[in-house]
Amino acid sequence: MRATSHAATEIASQPACWRQAAQAVDHHLTSLPWPHERVAVAGCGTSYFAAMAYAALREQAGHGLTDAFPASEFPLGRSYDRVVVVSRSGTTTEILDLLDELRGRVPTVALTASGAAPISSAADVTIELDFADEQSVVQTRFATTVLVLLRAALGHDVEALATAGERALRLPLPDVVDAEQVTFLGRGWTVGLAHEAALKLREAAGAWAESYPAMEYRHGPISIAEPGRAVWMLGEPPNGLAGDVARTGATFVHSDGMDPIAHLLLAQRLAVAIAERRGLDPDRPRNLTRSVIIDSA
Ligand code: F1P
């Protein structure tokens, strides 16, 4: 294995990518959802989780109804003013199929790392974030850069996020590298981040990781908590959760005031650290390719 994985390098470059996205946002504002539009956002895997986080943030900001769907489960019968799709590769089958279905019915905008990919001719407008493309199969910086661009469009202070991200890159990892199992939790927009963090552990490290909306955790998933396992809250934990987890003997990790997207960087780093501990290459997950292209035959 290389001394430094692509994933590790790409994780470390996120604050710089976020700043670059912030510089580009004004240029893209007219293509992105306008306040009061009914919007749906779709993606697959990591790109879907970025879509989920944005959807919750946009609604919370009062910009209007915003749904998020896996591209394969998009409800074609619903009416929207604009559909946003997210795909690093721009070649994912479900995304291209969805854009085909939507053509001429609703304005579509695609966020991709590759403007030369088929997604560009399938969507009405393409926003290319080539500076956030990645060599690792495992996505980190593309998805967070998409989310930061969309947060910038909602008026969030990207410089503060980038500074928090730099701090998250310097912090020691929580003491869970040897945990047998990690459950990530979120609320509102951080539910998407929790799913993304768990996906990173599964993809990069083949690790047992789960994810839930935080208030759902006590409705069953807490049954697997025990010493040697961990619960990791992205954002503010709901009342009593830390104590409930402590009583199981599991380790409880939380954002402690850090913006959850910066806290996600620690979870990404954890995924790489677990992979390295297990002698795995975090850039090359088992059974996964950079883009899922499904043969129609
Ligand atoms: C989506 C995706 C990623 C996954 C892997 C395979 O790709 O499912 O989430 O980590 O890279 O593809 P894309 O549509 O964003 O290119």
Side-chain angles (χ1 to χ4, degrees):
M1 205 198 312
R2 288 179 311 279
T4 306
S5 59
H6 293 304
T9 306
E10 287 156 2
I11 288 167
S13 70
Q14 286 170 106
C17 286
W18 299 351
R19 289 192 175 99
Q20 200 165 338
Q23 279 166 14
V25 72
D26 284 346
H27 180 67
H28 298 305
L29 276 183
T30 51
S31 313
L32 290 171
W34 290 42
H36 311 303
E37 284 183 343
R38 287 170 56 91
V39 170
V41 197
C44 300
T46 292
S47 294
Y48 166 49
F49 298 140
M52 270 181 88
Y54 167 61
L57 279 171
R58 183 173 181 271
E59 274 205 6
Q60 190 184 309
H63 281 230
L65 180 146
T66 318
D67 291 324
F69 301 104
S72 55
E73 299 293 339
F74 195 95
L76 291 166
R78 293 197 198 165
S79 73
Y80 293 100
D81 299 316
R82 195 179 303 262
V83 173
V84 180
V85 298
V86 182
S87 175
R88 176 181 67 175
S89 63
T91 56
T92 297
T93 298
E94 296 95 313
I95 291 284
L96 297 179
D97 287 351
L98 174 63
L99 288 170
D100 264 358
E101 291 278 0
L102 297 176
R103 195 192 309 271
R105 290 164 61 171
V106 56
T108 56
V109 54
L111 291 149
T112 182
S114 173
I119 198 169
S120 288
S121 40
D124 297 325
V125 177
T126 301
I127 296 177
E128 186 187 31
L129 303 172
D130 54 347
F131 57 87
D133 202 357
E134 293 160 304
Q135 284 181 269
S136 178
V137 167
V138 174
Q139 290 199 32
T140 52
R141 73 179 182 192
F142 173 71
T144 65
T145 301
V146 164
L147 185 53
V148 167
L149 177 88
L150 293 168
R151 287 182 69 175
L154 294 174
H156 293 207
D157 177 357
V158 173
E159 186 49 40
L161 298 181
T163 304
E166 284 164 346
R167 186 168 154 255
L169 292 170
R170 285 192 305 267
L171 282 175
L173 282 179
D175 190 17
V176 295
V177 179
D178 293 316
E180 179 195 21
Q181 188 277 336
V182 184
T183 297
F184 292 92
L185 304 177
R187 292 205 79 181
W189 73 280
T190 71
V191 174
L193 298 191
H195 292 324
E196 169 57 6
L199 185 65
K200 287 314 85 164
L201 263 65
R202 291 193 286 264
E203 287 181 335
W208 178 16
E210 304 192 0
S211 50
Y212 304 93
M215 293 300 286
E216 282 294 299
Y217 180 66
R218 287 177 278 209
H219 293 276
I222 195 169
S223 300
I224 65 162
E226 62 179 42
R229 299 181 181 174
V231 177
W232 181 309
M233 176 76 207
L234 287 139
E236 272 301 296
N239 271 347
L241 183 68
D244 290 340
V245 172
R247 275 186 285 282
T248 69
T251 303
F252 187 66
V253 178
H254 64 99
S255 300
D256 202 12
M258 181 187 296
D259 188 285
I261 200 169
H263 199 200
L264 176 64
L265 271 49
L266 278 159
Q268 296 170 338
R269 288 175 52 210
L270 174 69
V272 171
I274 297 175
E276 286 168 353
R277 181 73 57 103
R278 295 181 178 187
L280 299 171
D281 181 349
D283 293 334
R284 295 186 185 284
R286 273 196 312 176
N287 316 325
L288 187 65
T289 47
R290 172 178 161 85
S291 167
V292 176
I293 300 173
I294 300 165
D295 188 347
S296 56

